[in-house]
Amino acid sequence: MENAPRAFRPRDRAWHPAAWFPDYKTSVYRSPRLPLVSLTATRSELTAPVFGHDLIRASDNDLLVNGRVDGDPIGPRIVLFGKVLDEEGRPVRNVLIELWQANAAGRYRHVNDSYLAPLDPNFWGVGRTLSEPDGSYRFRTIRPGPYPWRNRVNDWRPAHIHISLWGASLCQRLVSQIYFEGDPLLPLCPIYNSIPDPAARARLLAKLDMGESLPHDTLAWRFDIVLRGPRQTFFENKREGA
Amino acid sequence: MLREIPSQTAGPYVHIGLLPSAAGIPFEPERDWGAMLGPGARGERIRIEGIVYDGTGSPVKDAVLELWQPDAAGRFPGRDPGADPAFKGFARVASDFATGLFAFETIKPGRVPTADGRLQAPHGTLLIFARGINIHLHTRIYFDDEAAANAEDPVLALVEQESRRRTLLARRGLRDGAVVYRFDVYLQGPNETVFFDA
């Protein structure tokens, strides 16, 4: 049984995208207008579900294989790997990492995606894994394609992989997107640009790693994940019996 | 010191990753994270259902919602000693693509203490992910038949306007003899739900 810290550093909301970002039109009517109510985390927020290895299969982190019907998926083969750390730089283990992505043509296997690009019969675009004791994780997949979306007249999403993270505390819960360094669509994307600070945006760029690439097989992209870390509690006042 | 990576919207295809069978992917449905109850979970069986409404009053039909709550005795599965082993405490569901209705089958949660030892009223924590939501929304589901406990709940008391506290109360009802709580979420507007930063 792993337990999270007793308290977390406050989340810097100015580092994250604002809820209301009019260039991303849907956010205009899906963003709360009243201030968030700040609360001191209780057991309800300091705990999190335990995701057991029983719900993870060996092929869940291999998207080249898990949707296979009669052949390999089409597209550039990549390894996506990295470490999950907290804000103090310590590895975080047993983090549930879930991925989803479009195929190499920019089409999602989803009942609501009607983009004219083809589905790949051998690719689902879904993966999951738990981070190792040293915080490391690894997926094998294909590099997703860019695709157009209904926002402004001619908006295209840069190639990206969605990522969902569940650590040992609900305070660490985070969903984000991984992009590829050097993509010329990045500066044009209102979703990427909803993050105000360029230094924060850069944190979502996977970096090419030739050292981890497999010659004649697969390129590797490194993406390190940082989750919220503990606030020191040495001098915290505690009530009697707490 | 490192900094947390920034959030991005879960987008319209969130189901592929978080509820693959809802996206139409033949991933084993039993490996979706939908179920909170084991066969022998202790406590009062309840259903919590509702709709997330956007600022135009329209149902959000592509949301994914997560509920995390303690067992009937207020203990968190896998985290607190003595927690009910038949209860998972966590479920993830999708809003219905046609109507926007979401529903959790669970048990009424027990009371959980605050850091300073006071008791909170029974509640669950609800997280909301969807296209157009740039960083997930965090709210709580309380129960309108727990008036005494709600009146002394330290988190409800943080909400300055009493009228806004009502946005966190699920309304108890009966349907075919089963307990159904209604909990609608308003992202904007005069009834905007209280969302938390924890």
Side-chain angles (χ1 to χ4, degrees):
Chain A
M1 193 177 309
E2 291 168 64
N3 284 307
R6 290 170 46 91
F8 284 86
R9 282 209 183 90
R11 179 167 263 161
D12 179 358
R13 296 267 164 182
W15 178 254
H16 291 277
W20 182 81
F21 189 75
D23 284 352
Y24 179 18
K25 294 182 183 180
T26 311
S27 77
V28 172
Y29 41 90
R30 291 187 172 189
S31 45
R33 293 301 154 82
L34 298 173
L36 301 178
V37 173
S38 302
L39 67 81
T40 302
T42 72
R43 290 292 290 163
S44 293
E45 295 78 29
L46 292 173
T47 53
V50 175
F51 297 101
H53 287 269
D54 54 322
L55 285 163
I56 310 284
R57 302 261 162 89
S59 68
D60 281 357
N61 68 343
D62 191 350
L63 287 72
L64 296 184
V65 166
N66 67 10
R68 184 188 173 102
V69 175
D70 57 4
D72 288 328
I74 290 170
R77 298 156 62 83
I78 65 169
V79 167
L80 178 71
F81 75 102
K83 281 203 168 189
V84 186
L85 306 170
D86 69 14
E87 288 175 314
E88 312 246 285
R90 292 176 303 201
V92 189
R93 64 177 178 172
N94 281 341
V95 172
L96 176 68
I97 305 173
E98 295 169 286
L99 294 187
W100 67 103
Q101 64 168 90
N103 68 23
R107 176 81 184 269
Y108 284 94
R109 185 173 286 265
H110 189 289
V111 292
N112 293 340
D113 188 4
S114 57
Y115 178 36
L116 54 79
L119 284 171
D120 184 333
N122 293 304
F123 190 69
W124 284 348
V126 54
R128 59 172 74 154
T129 195
L130 293 169
S131 60
E132 300 290 333
D134 66 353
S136 65
Y137 75 93
R138 181 171 293 258
F139 289 91
R140 196 163 71 141
T141 184
I142 55 106
R143 181 168 169 159
Y147 60 87
W149 59 298
R150 293 188 188 283
N151 187 55
R152 296 171 303 200
V153 172
N154 191 23
D155 269 327
W156 290 73
R157 293 304 322 282
H160 64 277
I161 296 175
H162 295 267
I163 186 168
S164 165
L165 302 158
W166 256 116
S169 162
L170 189 126
C171 292
Q172 296 176 306
R173 182 84 178 96
L174 197 65
V175 166
S176 192
Q177 300 182 28
I178 301 169
Y179 301 94
F180 295 85
E181 191 178 33
D183 190 328
L185 289 169
L186 282 166
L188 309 177
C189 177
I191 291 178
Y192 183 61
N193 285 320
S194 69
I195 302 165
D197 186 334
R201 271 178 245 154
R203 297 286 303 285
L204 298 184
L205 301 179
K207 296 196 166 46
L208 186 66
D209 188 316
M210 293 308 290
E212 285 293 312
S213 298
L214 280 77
H216 307 288
D217 184 333
T218 308
L219 279 174
W221 292 80
R222 181 178 187 104
F223 184 78
D224 289 328
I225 295 161
V226 177
L227 298 179
R228 280 174 77 184
R231 175 169 60 77
Q232 300 303 335
T233 54
F234 300 121
F235 301 108
E236 195 165 46
N237 294 315
K238 293 190 185 67
R239 280 198 190 182
E240 196 85 18
Chain B
M1 182 195 125
L2 304 174
R3 297 184 80 172
E4 184 184 28
I5 59 169
S7 174
Q8 291 271 265
T9 180
Y13 308 119
V14 53
H15 314 86
I16 297 172
L18 302 190
L19 289 167
S21 55
I25 291 174
F27 204 80
E28 305 93 313
E30 69 275 14
R31 294 207 295 141
D32 276 350
W33 316 105
M36 305 196 77
L37 293 173
R42 294 189 291 267
E44 183 188 19
R45 298 204 161 218
I46 62 170
R47 175 182 173 94
I48 304 171
E49 64 178 30
I51 291 176
V52 180
Y53 291 99
D54 73 15
T56 74
S58 304
V60 173
K61 298 173 180 174
D62 53 9
V64 164
L65 302 98
E66 293 180 337
L67 182 62
W68 171 237
Q69 64 159 83
D71 68 12
R75 299 187 185 105
F76 286 95
R79 303 290 177 182
D80 290 330
D84 182 353
F87 182 65
K88 294 196 181 102
F90 175 74
R92 183 185 274 168
V93 302
S95 301
D96 185 87
F97 290 157
T99 64
L101 189 74
F102 67 84
F104 293 99
E105 302 287 344
T106 182
I107 51 118
K108 185 97 169 276
R111 301 184 70 173
V112 175
T114 59
D116 61 14
R118 287 177 290 168
L119 272 182
Q120 303 182 76
H123 68 274
T125 297
L126 184 70
L127 303 180
I128 303 169
F129 305 84
R131 175 174 67 97
I133 294 179
N134 289 329
I135 181 165
H136 60 279
L137 298 172
H138 168 186
T139 187
R140 282 182 167 199
I141 301 176
Y142 288 85
F143 302 92
D144 75 345
D145 55 320
E146 296 283 347
N150 291 341
E152 62 184 27
D153 182 83
V155 172
L156 281 174
L158 294 171
V159 181
E160 183 183 341
Q161 299 82 3
E162 272 192 62
S163 62
R164 295 204 69 216
R165 296 177 197 164
R166 282 198 292 274
T167 69
L168 300 178
L169 301 184
R171 294 192 316 276
R172 187 181 178 99
L174 282 174
R175 186 190 302 147
D176 303 328
V179 178
V180 178
Y181 283 92
R182 180 78 188 190
F183 188 80
D184 292 322
V185 175
Y186 294 89
L187 300 180
Q188 292 173 9
N191 299 314
E192 184 177 311
T193 299
V194 170
F195 299 105
F196 293 103
D197 185 15

